Amino acid sequence: MKIPASLRAIYAERRPIYARLKAEVDQRVIGWRDPRWHYESRVKGEESFALKIETGRVPVPGELEDFFAATLVVPNLLALSQAEDLVCQQFELRSRRPKNRDITHKTPDSFPFDDLRLYVAVRSDTRYPETGIEGITFEVQIKTFLQHAWSIATHDLIYKSEGVEWPTDRIAYQVKAMLEHAEVSIAEAVPLAKNSVLSKTTLDILRIKKFATIIRQFWGDAAPKDMRRLALNIAELCKLIELPPKKLEQHLREYVKQRGGEPPSNLSPYLGIIECLLIHETERMRAFLAQPPDRENPRRVLVTSEIDLPAGLDLDTLPRAILVKDLGI
C-alpha cells in the first residue's frame, strides 16, 4: 500500500518513543501481573498506522491512542475487574471503553467487538528524572482467554480480508456469540449448578466425595488443594482392592491413633494412606500388587522409602509397586 511521505515521516518520528514506552510498560506489567495471566504488546506497524489515520477519527496523528497497545488476558469474566483495578493502580487512567461497566452499546441480538479497553499513561514521578514517555496515552485491552482466542482465530477473517464478506463476518460473530454464552456459564457455574435441571450426581461422584471427606477429616489443612485428584486416586485404588470408604476410615482412625493422634508429617496424604493400607490390609494390597500390569488395568502404586512396611512384605517382587528409594528408583 502506498503511504504518503508526510504520514511516513510522522510514523518514523514517533515510533522510537512508543518503542521505549513499550519496553517500560512490558517490564512493569510482567512484574505485577498474576503469573497465570497472559500478556502481550505491540507497536502498530506503518501500514496499520496509516489506515487508522485515514479514518479521520484521530485529531492528532502523532498521538494515536493505540500506537502502542498491550493486551492482558485473564482466566474468566470474574477476573476482569481485578485486572482493571491493577492497571489503574499502576498507570494513570485517561478513559475507558465501554465507559461504564453496566452500560453497553450492543443490542441483545448483536455480538460486536466490545472487549474492555483502558487508555492510560505512565505517571510523572518527581522522585525520578523525566524519560519522555510520561503522559503518552496507550491502550490496554483486558480480555478473557476465550475472548483472546476468538480475536486470534478470527482476526484475519475480519481485519485482513480483501473486502467485506457477509459469510465470513457471520461465521466470526456466530462463534463470538457461542463463546460469550460459554463465558457466562463459566462465570456463573456455581449458581447454575444449583438449578434443578442440573442438580444431579452419579454414584461414582458420591463415592469420590466420601473419600475426599475422609481425607479432610484426618489431614485437614495439610490436604492438597487439588483434592479431586487425590480423592479420585484413592477411590480407584480402594475399588481395585474392594475396600469400601467406611473400612478405609476405620483403618485410618486406628492408624492415626497409633501415631499419637496425628498422621505422619513425613508422608503426603496419599503415601500416608498407602502406608495405612499396607499395614491394615496387607493381604489385599499384596494380592493386587502381585498382579502384572496390563493394558486393561495399568495401575501401579507408588511406595517411597519413608513408608514403614509390615514385616514379611517384599515389594521388590511385586510388579505393581513403584519403589522410590533414598538414591532414586
Side-chain angles (χ1 to χ4, degrees), residues 284-297:
R284 286 179 194 257
M285 291 293 286
R286 189 199 306 272
F288 171 70
L289 294 172
Q291 302 169 17
D294 53 34
R295 181 178 299 177
E296 183 176 336
N297 182 13

Side-chain angles (χ1 to χ4, degrees), residues 228-248:
R228 180 191 183 101
R229 185 188 297 270
L230 176 58
L232 182 60
N233 201 7
I234 297 301
E236 288 178 351
L237 176 60
C238 287
K239 184 177 182 179
L240 289 170
I241 65 172
E242 300 180 352
L243 186 74
K246 193 67 178 177
K247 194 68 174 176
L248 174 64

Side-chain angles (χ1 to χ4, degrees), residues 155-269:
H155 187 269
D156 287 355
L157 287 177
I158 298 173
Y159 298 107
K160 302 296 183 182
S161 59
E162 294 181 358
V164 178
E165 299 291 343
W166 188 91
T168 53
D169 280 9
R170 181 72 166 181
I171 291 169
Y173 289 105
Q174 282 177 337
V175 172
K176 195 173 195 313
M178 289 187 286
L179 290 180
E180 184 173 310
H181 176 72
E183 291 276 20
V184 173
S185 298
I186 292 169
E188 300 298 322
V190 174
L192 279 174
K194 297 176 182 178
N195 184 284
S196 59
V197 176
L198 295 173
S199 186
K200 298 179 177 67
T201 189
T202 66
L203 293 176
D204 280 344
I205 289 177
L206 287 174
R207 186 169 179 274
I208 293 168
K209 283 185 173 181
K210 288 180 182 178
F211 284 102
T213 300
I214 291 170
I215 294 167
R216 289 193 188 95
Q217 177 184 342
F218 292 100
W219 273 272
D221 293 340
K225 293 180 180 179
D226 189 357
M227 179 60 76
R228 180 191 183 101
R229 185 188 297 270
L230 176 58
L232 182 60
N233 201 7
I234 297 301
E236 288 178 351
L237 176 60
C238 287
K239 184 177 182 179
L240 289 170
I241 65 172
E242 300 180 352
L243 186 74
K246 193 67 178 177
K247 194 68 174 176
L248 174 64
E249 183 180 5
Q250 293 172 1
H251 289 327
L252 283 172
R253 187 172 288 109
E254 181 64 24
Y255 172 76
V256 169
K257 181 180 178 181
Q258 292 171 353
R259 285 156 182 76
E262 297 288 339
S265 59
N266 66 328
L267 296 177
S268 67

Side-chain angles (χ1 to χ4, degrees), residues 32-326:
W32 54 254
R33 71 179 172 90
D34 187 310
R36 296 174 302 167
W37 297 357
H38 171 70
Y39 172 76
E40 61 185 51
S41 67
R42 61 100 183 107
V43 174
K44 192 177 277 292
E46 187 180 62
E47 182 175 300
S48 180
F49 168 79
L51 287 169
K52 190 69 171 280
I53 299 305
E54 289 175 349
T55 64
R57 297 197 300 266
V58 185
V60 183
E63 297 177 5
L64 177 63
E65 59 189 6
D66 69 338
F67 201 127
F68 163 62
T71 299
L72 197 56
V73 187
V74 299
N76 52 52
L77 294 174
L78 299 177
L80 291 176
S81 295
Q82 179 190 357
E84 180 178 358
D85 291 343
L86 282 172
V87 171
C88 292
Q89 289 170 16
Q90 298 296 322
F91 303 106
E92 177 188 343
L93 180 64
R94 297 286 178 82
S95 64
R96 181 190 194 276
R97 295 182 194 146
K99 292 183 178 180
N100 190 301
R101 292 182 182 181
D102 302 320
I103 298 177
T104 178
H105 71 277
K106 297 182 292 185
T107 61
D109 59 349
S110 66
F111 295 85
F113 172 83
D114 194 32
D115 294 347
L116 173 60
R117 285 143 291 157
L118 303 178
Y119 295 92
V120 298
V122 174
R123 293 186 180 94
S124 295
D125 191 332
T126 55
R127 296 173 298 174
Y128 304 103
E130 295 285 311
T131 62
I133 62 172
E134 294 81 6
I136 298 177
T137 300
F138 63 95
E139 179 186 84
V140 178
Q141 290 189 20
I142 304 177
K143 56 182 68 181
T144 68
F145 278 101
L146 287 181
Q147 290 170 337
H148 188 53
W150 178 84
S151 298
I152 294 172
T154 62
H155 187 269
D156 287 355
L157 287 177
I158 298 173
Y159 298 107
K160 302 296 183 182
S161 59
E162 294 181 358
V164 178
E165 299 291 343
W166 188 91
T168 53
D169 280 9
R170 181 72 166 181
I171 291 169
Y173 289 105
Q174 282 177 337
V175 172
K176 195 173 195 313
M178 289 187 286
L179 290 180
E180 184 173 310
H181 176 72
E183 291 276 20
V184 173
S185 298
I186 292 169
E188 300 298 322
V190 174
L192 279 174
K194 297 176 182 178
N195 184 284
S196 59
V197 176
L198 295 173
S199 186
K200 298 179 177 67
T201 189
T202 66
L203 293 176
D204 280 344
I205 289 177
L206 287 174
R207 186 169 179 274
I208 293 168
K209 283 185 173 181
K210 288 180 182 178
F211 284 102
T213 300
I214 291 170
I215 294 167
R216 289 193 188 95
Q217 177 184 342
F218 292 100
W219 273 272
D221 293 340
K225 293 180 180 179
D226 189 357
M227 179 60 76
R228 180 191 183 101
R229 185 188 297 270
L230 176 58
L232 182 60
N233 201 7
I234 297 301
E236 288 178 351
L237 176 60
C238 287
K239 184 177 182 179
L240 289 170
I241 65 172
E242 300 180 352
L243 186 74
K246 193 67 178 177
K247 194 68 174 176
L248 174 64
E249 183 180 5
Q250 293 172 1
H251 289 327
L252 283 172
R253 187 172 288 109
E254 181 64 24
Y255 172 76
V256 169
K257 181 180 178 181
Q258 292 171 353
R259 285 156 182 76
E262 297 288 339
S265 59
N266 66 328
L267 296 177
S268 67
Y270 169 79
L271 290 175
I273 293 172
I274 296 300
E275 183 177 75
C276 173
L277 292 175
L278 289 172
I279 293 171
H280 293 279
E281 291 289 349
T282 306
E283 293 311 313
R284 286 179 194 257
M285 291 293 286
R286 189 199 306 272
F288 171 70
L289 294 172
Q291 302 169 17
D294 53 34
R295 181 178 299 177
E296 183 176 336
N297 182 13
R299 174 66 185 260
R300 298 186 182 210
V301 175
L302 176 69
V303 182
T304 69
S305 59
E306 291 86 359
I307 288 179
D308 292 329
L309 299 176
L313 183 62
D314 182 10
L315 294 181
D316 287 318
T317 62
L318 302 178
R320 284 191 186 270
I322 300 176
L323 303 180
V324 178
K325 301 179 181 179
D326 290 336

